[in-house]
Amino acid sequence: MYHYDDFDQAFVAARVAQFRDQVARRLSGELTEEQFRPHRLMNGLYLQLHSYMLRVAVPYGTLNARQMRKLADIARAYDRGYGHFTTRQNIQYNWPALKHVPDILAELAAVEMHAIQTSGNCIRNVTADHFAGVAHDEIADPRPYAEILRQWSSLHPEFSFLPRKFKIAVNGAAHDRAVIQAHDIGLQIVRDEAGELGFTVYVGGGLGRSPFIGRKVREFLPERDLLGYVEAILRVYNLEGRRDNKFKARIKILLHEKTLETLKDEIEAEFAERDATLLDLPQSEVARVAAFFAPPALEPKKPGSDRVERRKGKDARFASFFAANVTAHKQPGYVVVTVSLKPIGAPPGDASADQMDAVADLAEDYSHDEIRVSHEQNLILPHVALDDLPAVYDRLASVGLATPNAGQISDIIACPGLDYCTLATARSIPVAERIAQKFGDGAKAKAVGPLKIKISGCINACGHHHVGHIGILGLERAGEETYQITLGGSGDETAAIGQIVGPGFSSENVVGAVETLVETYMGLRTSEAETFLDAFRRVGLAPFKEALYERSAGSDI
Amino acid sequence: MALWRTGGFAEDSWTRLADDTPAPAEGAVVVSLRRWLAEREALSQRKAPVGVSVEAGADAQAHLSDLADRPLVALAFAKFADGRAFSYARLLRDRHGFKGELRAAGDVLIDEIPLMLRCGFDAFDVTDAPTLAALEAGRLPGPALHYQPASVAGERPAGSRPWLRADISQRKL
Ligand code: HEM
Ligand code: SF4
C-alpha cells in the first residue's frame, strides 16, 4: 500500500496545524460559523443537531492493521467506543467534541491518515474497487490512479470552492464494484487495441434528489492525460455549474441543461489548451506509485484445502459463510474474505473498537497486514490462505463478525436516517433491521440468492436506494413515515436507476411488501441461477406491481 | 479597507470610478467591465493607466481575453464561497498571458488568501478585521507544500513527483 514520504507527512502535519488554528479562531469567536463552515467541511467535520460528526477518509478503501487500531483508539478515546463505516470508504465518528478534533487529526496523521476533503464543496476522497489488486477480472489496479488523483486534488487552490461536492471513483476490473456511474466522474480502466492503458470517462452520475447515471464523455483517455482531462472537467464545472440553487448545483444538472454534446465539446476545448508539461503523467511516476500497490509475495499454494472441505461438511454455518463471504483471489490457494458489518438486527456499518482491533489482529496474522473498506459498508481481508480460513472464521465469530450474509438480502445498505440525521424524513435503520430479521442469514436468505436492498431516509439518497435491486426511500406523508419502493436499480457496469413500483407503504407494511416482492421473484425465476435483477430485467415491473397492489393485502393505496 | 500585496501593506494609487463619473485626465483609475467594454477606445486614449474591475458572472468569463493587456484587473468575490474567480485568475494568468496586477476584492478572508495567491492573485483589498490583523502579524495560514503546480511565481518543484511544489519563502503559521 501507499506510504507517505517526507513531503506527504509534512503536508498532512501542516494541514493539521492549519485546522488547529482555525478551530482556535472559531472557539474564540474570531471566525463566524459561516466562515468556519467550509474549513471544517474540508476536514470532514459536520455539525449535526447535537454534536459534531467527523468523517475520516480511508483512501480507496485500503488500510493496514496499525491504521485500523488507530481508528479503534480514536473511537475509544474521543467517541462512544464505535465507528460507522460508510458507503464512501470513510469512517464516521458521531460524537467528537470540536476542541478535540485537531488532536484526532494529529493522531490520524501519525498513521498516514486524514479527513481532508471528506465533505464540503470540493473534490471528495477518491474511491475505488474494494477488491483492487486481488480481483481475477482486473485489467489494472485502480489504486495508483486514485492515489495520484487524491494527491493532485488535495487543497487544490482552484477547486476548493466548487458549486457543490465532487466525487470521483476509479474501477480497474471488468465488473464495476465502485459504482463509477453514480459519480461526478467515473473512470473505468481499459486497454485499447494496442494494449495501451487508459480510461473510459463518465461524467454527471449522481444520486440525491435527481438521480442520473453518468454519461460517457471519452471512450479512451490515455493514462498520460488523466490529470489534464480531470482538470478540464473541473474547470468547466467550476466556471459554469449553477450556484443559484444548491439542489441544481451538481455537474449532473449542468450536463442535463447543456446537453452531453455541448459539455463534451467544452471539456475537450479546455483540455486542448492545457499545459501538458505540467500535468502529463510521466510513466516513471505512475510506475513509482504503482509499486506501492504491488501484491504481497504470496507463497504458492495448491488450489483446494482439505481442512476447509472437512469443516464445510460438518458445519453448515461455516459452509454458508464460505458460500457468501469468500471470493476467489487471483492467486490459487488464497481467498478474499468479506467481513460483514450487517449482523442481523443491528445498524448496518457500525463496528465497535474491539471489533476493529480484532480485524486488525486478523489482518496481521492472516492477510499480509491489509484490510479493505467496501462501499457496501463491509470490511475485507484481501489475502487469506484458504487453509487459514477456518481459523479466521472462528476468530471473526468470537467477536460477532462472522455473519454469513455478504451480497445477500440481509446485507443491506442503509443511511443513518431519522435516528441520527437532521435531514431525514423517515427512519431507515429499523427498517433494515426488520428486513434482515425476516430473511436472516441462513437457508432462507441463501435460497433468495444475490439481492441488494438499499435504504435512504430522505431524498438525498445517502443509502444509494436508486441503485438498489430493491430500493427503499423513506418519506413523510401527513405526519406518517411512508416507504417508496423502487425496483431494478443497479450500481455496476450495467448501472440503472430503479423504477418506482407504485404507491408507498407504511412502516408496518414495508417489510411485508419486500417479502411479497421476493416471493414473486422466486415464483417466476427460470432457475436458481436467474438473480432478482436478471429476472426483473426479463419481466419488468408488471408482475411485481400486480403482486403488491392487486393480489396481496398490505398495500396502503 | 487596506491594500495588501505579497510584500506587505501598500498605498493604493488606483481610484475606483463609478460608471457615471467622467474619467479624470490624470491618475490611475479602475472602471467596471461594462464601462471598459463600452468606452474602451476613449479610455485607451488616456495616458494614465486604466484597470478593470470584474464581478463574478457569466460575462466575466467571456471577456477575460479583453483584459489581458490591462495593467490591473480586480476580480470581486461576492461571497468567498463563490469559487469562479479562482478559475478566472488562472485563465487570465496562464491562458491569456496577463502580466498586470491581479487584485482580489470583495469577501477576501485570510484562509482563502493562500489559495488566491496560488491562482495568480497578487494584491488584495481587505476589509475583514481578523484578516487585517492576521496579515499585520505576518500570518498566512496553510501548508507551504502543494500537490499541484499553480499560476504563481515563488514556488519551486519539490520531490520526485513533477507536480509537487514548495513555497520558496518559508511562511509561518
Ligand atoms: C448523518 C449525516 C448526513 C447528512 C446530513 C448527509 C447529507 C447529505 C446530503 C444533503 C446529500 C445530497 C447531496 C446532493 O444531492 O447534492 C447527501 C448525499 C449522499 N450522502 Fe450523505 N449525509 C449524511 C450521512 C451520510 C452517510 C452516513 C453516508 C454513507 C453511508 C452518506 C453518503 C452519501 C452518499 C453516497 C450520497 C449520494 C451522493 C450523490 O448524490 O451522488 N451520507 N448526503
Ligand atoms: S439520505 Fe437523508 S436521512 Fe439518510 S443520511 Fe442522507 S440526508 Fe440523512
Side-chain angles (χ1 to χ4, degrees):
Chain A
M1 60 189 287
Y2 187 74
H3 283 296
Y4 284 8
D5 63 10
D6 292 347
F7 183 100
D8 301 316
Q9 198 66 56
F11 177 89
V12 176
R15 185 72 181 133
V16 173
Q18 179 184 20
F19 191 59
R20 195 180 288 283
D21 170 62
Q22 287 166 345
V23 169
R25 284 186 284 136
R26 173 70 192 119
L27 290 171
S28 77
E30 183 187 314
L31 283 178
T32 64
E33 164 55 21
E34 194 205 352
Q35 290 168 343
F36 180 54
R37 194 168 173 273
H39 305 308
R40 65 169 166 74
L41 288 177
M42 282 191 69
N43 274 294
L45 193 60
Y46 274 85
L47 188 53
Q48 288 296 90
L49 199 54
H50 304 293
S51 153
Y52 283 95
M53 180 264 278
L54 179 67
R55 188 182 281 167
V56 175
V58 180
Y60 34 85
T62 296
L63 74 173
N64 62 25
R66 182 162 156 256
Q67 293 172 320
M68 184 62 107
R69 285 199 191 96
K70 180 60 82 178
L71 296 179
D73 290 346
I74 291 171
R76 277 192 203 96
Y78 301 100
D79 205 287
R80 298 186 177 174
Y82 69 97
H84 178 76
F85 288 95
T86 80
T87 51
R88 297 216 67 256
Q89 299 180 319
N90 294 310
I91 178 169
Q92 286 180 184
Y93 295 107
N94 285 307
W95 309 98
L98 177 57
K99 63 174 194 288
H100 291 145
V101 173
D103 294 336
I104 301 177
L105 296 181
E107 296 221 21
L108 289 168
V111 296
E112 305 182 14
M113 292 183 82
H114 59 73
I116 297 171
Q117 288 165 216
T118 53
S119 59
N121 295 335
C122 52
I123 303 167
R124 299 291 187 87
N125 57 306
V126 179
T127 55
D129 178 7
H130 45 265
F131 286 172
V134 296
H136 50 85
D137 60 342
E138 191 162 84
I139 301 149
D141 193 327
R143 293 172 298 168
Y145 305 102
E147 171 60 25
I148 288 168
L149 285 164
R150 179 191 77 81
Q151 295 184 9
W152 165 82
S153 63
S154 291
L155 293 193
H156 197 295
E158 185 179 349
F159 305 131
S160 288
F161 295 93
L162 297 170
R164 199 76 178 86
K165 59 179 156 185
F166 200 92
K167 299 178 182 176
I168 305 178
V170 196
N171 189 58
H175 183 54
D176 178 8
R177 277 171 293 260
V179 207
I180 60 168
Q181 293 181 58
H183 286 73
D184 298 280
I185 295 179
L187 297 165
Q188 172 64 47
I189 295 178
V190 287
R191 284 190 189 278
D192 69 4
E193 282 145 28
E196 292 297 319
L197 195 140
F199 306 89
T200 299
V201 185
Y202 297 86
V203 163
L207 303 173
R209 65 180 66 206
S210 14
F212 286 98
I213 294 298
R215 305 288 299 275
K216 200 184 284 179
V217 289
R218 239 326 170 97
E219 187 70 45
F220 186 83
L221 179 76
E223 176 189 74
R224 177 194 66 230
D225 295 336
L226 178 66
L227 294 181
Y229 198 79
V230 169
E231 179 165 287
I233 296 172
L234 270 140
R235 181 167 289 156
V236 170
Y237 172 59
N238 189 43
L239 287 168
E240 301 194 38
R242 286 181 62 171
R243 291 173 189 268
D244 59 329
N245 178 342
K246 81 169 196 173
F247 299 120
K248 300 201 157 97
R250 298 282 295 270
I251 196 171
K252 62 189 177 187
I253 305 292
L254 184 68
L255 186 153
H256 194 66
E257 290 180 349
K258 265 191 179 305
T259 77
L260 175 65
E261 286 312 312
T262 316
L263 186 69
K264 211 155 106 177
D265 291 347
E266 288 184 16
I267 293 168
E268 291 292 343
E270 188 56 49
F271 176 63
E273 297 268 3
R274 78 197 178 285
D275 184 345
T277 56
L278 291 178
L279 286 180
D280 274 10
L281 280 185
Q283 197 108 65
S284 57
E285 178 56 20
V286 177
R288 191 189 71 88
V289 177
F292 285 107
F293 297 96
L298 298 174
E299 233 178 275
K301 302 230 181 234
K302 65 178 176 52
S305 159
D306 297 339
R307 206 185 290 169
V308 167
E309 291 312 312
R310 277 198 303 278
R311 180 75 183 264
K312 269 160 67 177
K314 60 179 198 227
D315 180 348
R317 216 168 151 80
F318 177 82
S320 306
F321 181 85
F322 187 87
N325 296 41
V326 175
T327 313
H329 192 286
K330 67 181 173 193
Q331 181 149 334
Y334 289 83
V335 290
V336 182
V337 176
T338 299
V339 179
S340 166
L341 296 181
K342 319 289 176 59
I344 303 305
D350 280 2
S352 70
D354 292 347
Q355 287 176 326
M356 291 184 224
D357 279 341
V359 172
D361 293 346
L362 280 169
E364 263 173 359
D365 295 349
Y366 296 106
S367 183
H368 292 261
D369 198 19
E370 232 185 277
I371 304 160
R372 304 289 176 79
V373 178
S374 81
H375 79 269
E376 298 188 313
Q377 302 183 280
N378 291 320
L379 301 177
I380 287 149
L381 295 169
H383 310 288
V384 176
L386 193 53
D387 272 334
D388 292 333
L389 193 61
V392 170
Y393 172 81
D394 289 335
R395 276 171 58 178
L396 285 172
S398 72
V399 289
L401 288 176
T403 313
N405 65 349
Q408 292 181 353
I409 188 166
S410 55
D411 182 4
I412 298 171
I413 293 182
C415 79
L418 202 56
D419 295 299
Y420 296 95
C421 177
T422 51
L423 304 176
T425 41
R427 287 169 297 168
S428 40
I429 292 173
V431 173
E433 290 172 354
R434 279 160 47 219
I435 294 172
Q437 277 158 348
K438 178 67 83 185
F439 293 94
D441 54 17
K444 194 168 171 184
K446 202 166 150 190
V448 177
L451 205 174
K452 294 185 197 292
I453 297 186
K454 303 185 194 246
I455 310 176
S456 304
C458 80
I459 49 171
N460 287 319
C462 301
H464 290 190
H465 67 274
H466 298 296
V467 292
H469 302 165
I470 298 178
I472 301 179
L473 165 61
L475 297 167
E476 188 241 84
R477 212 190 288 145
E480 295 286 324
E481 287 166 308
T482 304
Y483 294 88
Q484 188 182 76
I485 296 183
T486 48
L487 298 180
S490 158
D492 62 9
E493 63 282 7
T494 64
I497 302 291
Q499 302 166 37
I500 297 172
V501 69
F505 295 84
S506 67
S507 170
E508 198 185 324
N509 290 334
V510 65
V511 179
V514 170
E515 217 176 1
T516 303
L517 291 168
V518 170
E519 281 163 8
T520 306
Y521 150 66
M522 290 175 79
L524 60 73
R525 68 182 171 189
T526 51
S527 76
E528 280 184 26
E530 190 180 48
T531 63
F532 181 90
L533 186 62
D534 291 339
F536 174 82
R537 287 180 170 169
R538 178 171 56 82
V539 302
L541 274 179
F544 295 100
K545 217 174 172 132
E546 190 195 317
L548 280 178
Y549 300 105
E550 287 164 35
R551 280 194 271 127
S552 83
S555 77
D556 311 303
I557 306 175
Chain B
M1 184 158 81
L3 172 66
W4 186 82
R5 294 205 184 95
T6 5
F9 286 97
E11 208 49 58
D12 191 357
S13 55
W14 295 80
T15 309
R16 219 164 255 272
L17 277 195
D19 279 354
D20 50 7
T21 309
E26 304 282 304
V29 295
V30 180
V31 299
S32 72
L33 175 63
R34 188 174 342 127
R35 182 160 181 186
W36 172 248
L37 293 173
E39 301 174 24
R40 187 176 184 149
E41 242 159 71
L43 288 167
S44 302
Q45 302 301 315
R46 284 186 94 233
K47 292 228 169 50
V50 179
V52 179
S53 155
V54 183
E55 301 298 321
D59 59 339
Q61 193 189 338
H63 293 295
L64 293 176
S65 62
D66 297 322
L67 302 173
D69 62 348
R70 290 297 86 210
L72 176 141
V73 170
L75 297 177
F77 287 78
K79 266 262 137 281
F80 70 88
D82 182 346
R84 284 177 291 187
F86 291 102
S87 287
Y88 300 153
R90 291 206 67 183
L91 287 171
L92 271 173
R93 289 283 189 216
D94 298 350
R95 185 136 327 147
H96 302 295
F98 174 72
K99 297 279 187 299
E101 173 168 316
L102 188 54
R103 210 184 266 204
D107 200 12
V108 175
L109 301 175
I110 188 68
D111 293 285
E112 282 74 50
I113 289 177
L115 301 174
M116 293 174 180
L117 282 167
R118 299 204 70 227
C119 288
F121 286 98
D122 52 6
F124 304 83
D125 279 337
V126 182
T127 48
D128 177 64
T131 300
L132 287 168
L135 289 172
E136 262 152 33
R139 292 192 312 131
L140 263 193
L145 299 172
H146 314 287
Y147 276 112
Q148 53 303 102
S151 319
V152 60
E155 289 180 0
R156 60 179 168 79
S160 66
R161 287 159 274 179
W163 43 83
L164 298 188
R165 293 291 182 276
D167 291 359
I168 287 170
S169 58
Q170 206 60 38
R171 47 174 134 97
K172 59 181 197 297
L173 186 72

